[in-house]
Amino acid sequence: MDYVKPTIEYAELSPLLIVLAVACLGVIVEAFLPRERRHVVQSTLAGVGVLAALGATIAVGLNLDPAGADGAGQGLVGAEGSIVVDGPTIYLWGLVLVFALGGVALFAERKLEAGVSAFAGQAAALPGTDAEREASTKGLAHTEVYPLVMFAVAGMLLFPASGDLLTMFVALEVLSLPLYLLCGLARRRRLLSQEAAMKYFLLGAFSSGFFLYGLALVYGYAGSMDLAAINEAVVNGADNEILLILGIALLSVGLLFKVGAVPFQAWTPDVYQGAPTAVTAFMSAGTKVAAFGAMLRLFYVGFGADRWDWQPMLWVVAILTMLVGAVVAIAQTDVKRMLAYSAIAHTGFLITGVLGLRELADGQITSLQAVLFYLTSYGVASLGAFALVTVVRDANGESSSFARWTGLGKRSPLVAGLFAFFLLSMAGIPLTAGFVGKWAVFTVAMSAGAWPVVLVAIASSIIAVYFYVRFIRLMYFTDPEPGVEVAEVTTASPLTGLTIAVCAAATLFLGVVPGPVLDLAVHAGDFIR
């Protein structure tokens, strides 16, 4: 039998290849460069690598060719069918890389911790031991975080671009494993950080097992792992439909875990609170973009013809996710946990958008475009909010207790005002990005007849407004209790300041002038098979 060499589209896959190359180069730097020079080299390498990948993504996006049977999509199926570079892929890649750039900037912050990073000096040292104190005294820092975050970004780029289930599983692991490590590397509150990493790892391992089992069942049904072949088997009504239904259910477990949907949300508040806040900021924005991109491709491309089987499941998940996220957030007394439950509620809103129709009349946005815009609006608000959390500190370092934030509006009007602005965007108040995002996903869900889900979404939004406004009231109109230490705002480096400023400007721009970004989502077109 003749050997046929595989064809790799290097130019179209260049963003992914650049990120992987930078990650591997970071590992080499870590092995050979002296410790005192690693931080500058690693942070610069990661930043330049993300910028180069972003530039390559723009170049690839400008040169996509029309594709698909109806010409609605553009792009190509590359790497022997394993990776699909189409319009939605390019949009998601750009979004992930923008959030990765903000994440790298927050990782490189050293001014807040008096010249050291927020990451542990020696991860292997047990909390409270002499080894940990010695590492802290010497000002040691883990610069391995930069290669780790680049590997995570590579997984996030591959996840929504996967053309078959096996590639999707590999991407899921490449994106998850570095995040498990990063969550346990906090310099302060080491035990809380390690507990968060352990919970995330154990639950993540279970969810990956479910995903792999579902992959096997779908392969048994369709005889292929390729999403286009699976769609063809569904359209033609292959035998053993029970394998398909079980496979969809188990694959959904893996994806719903990554986005933090109920009933797979248990890890979210603990991990968001325990992980270094820079990691939480990057993870809250980037992971949602990658996971929802993969979910959209899986359900629309692979199982689009079987929507009557998976839609009822997503109805239930969306309703539970929105209600649990909004209601439980009311009881929180920690800013990071409040934002974590807020993230759960936003996951429900995004799933509401997934329920929408893909093809509508001319001039109306589709569910794909609505979800892409919502991911953009939520991502910038979340990244900016967590970046602000890093600068509010007391004598013990970063402080996220409600009691510490009381009266912050009088001590630092600018920081409190920006944080309130991000909260109002998450609440969906007009003239913010969140309002346009919610309007988009609610509209497409209504067009698909999912009005009960939209009613629950509106009710959940009203509940969310309550706890967001309550926190704004705490910052501006509540005086600290006598004897309670309050947090102050610490001056950060320009890297963190620039990240916050860009997120605030983007949130305002997307709320006042959403047209250009909506047009960009429309121009991305549809998925190609």
Side-chain angles (χ1 to χ4, degrees):
M1 184 176 68
D2 294 335
Y3 172 74
V4 180
K5 69 173 184 178
T7 301
I8 305 296
E9 295 76 6
Y10 292 103
E12 287 76 8
L13 301 180
S14 57
L16 179 61
L17 298 176
I18 289 171
V19 172
L20 282 171
V22 169
C24 294
L25 188 58
V27 174
I28 296 173
V29 168
E30 200 65 32
F32 293 102
L33 208 65
R35 183 186 292 273
E36 61 274 8
R37 295 171 56 191
R38 290 177 194 167
H39 170 74
V40 174
V41 174
Q42 290 280 35
S43 56
T44 303
L45 180 62
V48 171
V50 173
L51 284 173
L54 186 58
T57 300
I58 295 171
V60 173
L62 292 174
N63 293 284
L64 289 181
D65 296 322
D70 55 358
Q74 50 185 337
L76 58 89
V77 179
E80 299 295 316
S82 297
I83 302 175
V84 182
V85 182
D86 53 16
T89 295
I90 295 298
Y91 188 99
L92 292 165
W93 279 4
L95 209 52
V96 167
L97 290 168
V98 168
F99 295 148
L101 195 59
V104 170
L106 296 179
F107 277 40
E109 173 64 57
R110 294 169 76 89
K111 192 173 181 180
L112 293 173
E113 291 283 354
V116 294
S117 70
F119 297 96
Q122 188 174 349
L126 292 175
T129 60
D130 292 337
E132 185 192 40
R133 283 189 288 271
E134 182 181 352
S136 180
T137 303
K138 290 181 178 179
L140 302 182
H142 267 296
T143 48
E144 293 95 329
V145 296
Y146 296 102
L148 285 173
V149 77
M150 295 306 289
F151 278 118
V153 171
M156 291 176 183
L157 297 180
L158 182 58
F159 203 27
S162 302
D164 61 67
L165 294 178
L166 193 57
T167 304
M168 195 172 284
F169 175 73
V170 172
L172 175 63
E173 295 306 294
V174 172
L175 114 80
S176 299
L177 292 174
L179 291 179
Y180 299 152
L181 290 171
L182 289 169
C183 287
L185 292 178
R187 179 175 291 275
R188 300 177 184 266
R189 299 183 182 179
R190 290 285 310 286
L191 286 175
L192 190 65
S193 177
Q194 291 176 352
E195 178 188 355
M198 183 59 70
K199 288 179 178 177
Y200 194 19
F201 169 68
L202 290 177
L203 293 174
F206 276 117
S207 73
S208 296
F210 279 109
F211 190 93
L212 196 58
Y213 197 7
L215 180 155
L217 292 177
V218 172
Y219 178 75
Y221 167 81
S224 174
M225 295 186 191
D226 183 76
L227 294 179
I230 293 169
N231 176 72
E232 188 175 344
V234 173
V235 170
N236 295 330
D239 295 333
N240 298 322
E241 190 173 353
I242 189 67
L243 286 179
L244 175 64
I245 296 173
L246 289 175
I248 292 174
L250 293 175
L251 286 171
S252 300
V253 170
L255 292 172
L256 293 173
F257 171 85
K258 292 310 298 181
V259 298
V262 175
F264 312 106
Q265 87 296 349
W267 63 274
T268 309
D270 292 335
V271 172
Y272 275 43
Q273 182 185 22
T277 305
V279 176
T280 306
F282 166 68
M283 187 170 61
S284 67
T287 304
K288 266 195 174 47
V289 173
F292 268 103
M295 182 185 293
L296 288 166
R297 188 174 297 278
L298 184 66
F299 283 134
Y300 287 1
V301 177
F303 305 128
D306 197 46
R307 65 186 301 121
W308 302 115
D309 283 334
W310 54 260
Q311 266 193 332
M313 171 195 68
L314 288 189
W315 274 47
V316 175
V317 170
I319 290 172
L320 289 176
T321 302
M322 290 183 291
L323 288 176
V324 169
V327 172
V328 180
I330 296 175
Q332 302 309 307
T333 58
D334 184 275
V335 176
K336 291 172 74 174
R337 290 185 74 88
M338 179 189 74
L339 291 175
Y341 280 104
S342 167
I344 293 171
H346 284 285
T347 294
F349 297 138
L350 282 160
I351 295 174
T352 302
V354 175
L355 294 171
L357 291 175
R358 290 179 58 203
E359 297 179 1
L360 299 175
D362 290 341
Q364 291 182 293
I365 61 171
T366 66
S367 55
L368 172 61
Q369 293 151 11
V371 172
L372 291 179
F373 185 88
Y374 199 109
L375 287 169
T376 308
S377 63
Y378 170 74
V380 293
S382 179
L383 183 65
F386 280 110
L388 282 169
V389 171
T390 64
V391 304
V392 180
R393 312 174 79 81
D394 57 22
N396 296 317
E398 186 182 288
S399 179
S400 56
S401 170
F402 277 18
R404 301 286 195 268
W405 284 61
T406 305
L408 184 67
K410 298 176 182 177
R411 300 189 299 277
S412 181
L414 178 61
V415 169
L418 288 172
F419 196 77
F421 181 59
F422 289 132
L423 292 184
L424 292 175
S425 179
M426 293 182 191
I429 301 301
L431 297 183
T432 64
F435 172 76
V436 181
K438 286 187 177 181
W439 168 81
V441 296
F442 292 174
T443 300
V444 295
M446 284 292 289
S447 69
W451 60 267
V453 182
V454 176
L455 289 179
V456 174
I458 293 171
S460 300
S461 297
I462 295 171
I463 296 171
V465 168
Y466 166 73
F467 67 78
Y468 289 135
V469 172
R470 182 190 65 176
F471 190 79
I472 294 172
R473 177 178 173 273
L474 178 124
M475 289 192 296
Y476 279 98
F477 305 108
T478 305
D479 294 324
E481 295 183 9
V484 176
E485 182 188 359
V486 293
E488 300 290 342
V489 173
T490 304
T491 303
S493 71
L495 291 172
T496 299
L498 183 61
T499 301
I500 295 170
V502 170
C503 289
T507 301
L508 180 62
F509 177 79
L510 291 172
V512 178
V513 192
V517 178
L518 281 171
D519 290 342
L520 196 61
V522 171
H523 180 70
D526 205 350
F527 291 117
I528 64 171
R529 291 187 172 86

